[in-house]
Amino acid sequence: PGPDLRAKQLEVEKLKAEVEEVRLQSQQLRLQLQALGADASLVPQKIKAGTGTGLDSHYELRSLFQWLVETVNLEQQVVFECGNGEGEVQVGGRHVLLHRMATWQLSGSLKLSVPLELQAEISGLLLQARKRGRIDEEVENLYSTWELLSAEVVSATSTVSAVAPEPAI
């Protein structure tokens, strides 16, 4: 073989050695990432679109709770019976027992209603979040103990014969 061919063969061997060295370095870096708890995959495990960020896993509940903190008027409370005296209503396809309820005014005709036995807890959470100006801890506590259901319930309006579905969460 000629000198040009021999030079090219040496260059190929050198490049193969460099590629192998870079492969080993990349494998070491992947192992270091895994040791630190990072995912070494190029494909994300969780893909999310929309207004929420990947860092905020409770976006809907956080948004709702922030709005409640800013909007609810806790100074005036009304207590009422729910479920025609039986206390059982359908919410999101489930039977829910709601005997006596406490309600507070939100904006317009919207109201926040909670079972009377949870009135102190909910108003306390809202007041605490309002005082601190942060809702992070409250949202984490609610998310770990509550289930958020979206539904429509029928309630009697001001006239006896008219009933209208209203949003319920």
Side-chain angles (χ1 to χ4, degrees), residues 82-83 86-91 94-101 115-118:
C82 188
E86 299 170 14
E88 186 174 302
V89 294
Q90 285 269 347
V91 178
R94 298 179 185 193
H95 293 279
V96 180
L97 291 176
L98 303 173
H99 296 283
R100 299 187 76 196
M101 302 285 287
L116 190 60
E117 53 273 7
L118 295 175

Side-chain angles (χ1 to χ4, degrees), residues 111-127:
K111 294 182 173 87
L112 171 63
S113 300
V114 299
L116 190 60
E117 53 273 7
L118 295 175
Q119 177 268 334
E121 178 184 354
I122 299 301
S123 63
L125 284 172
L126 293 167
L127 285 170

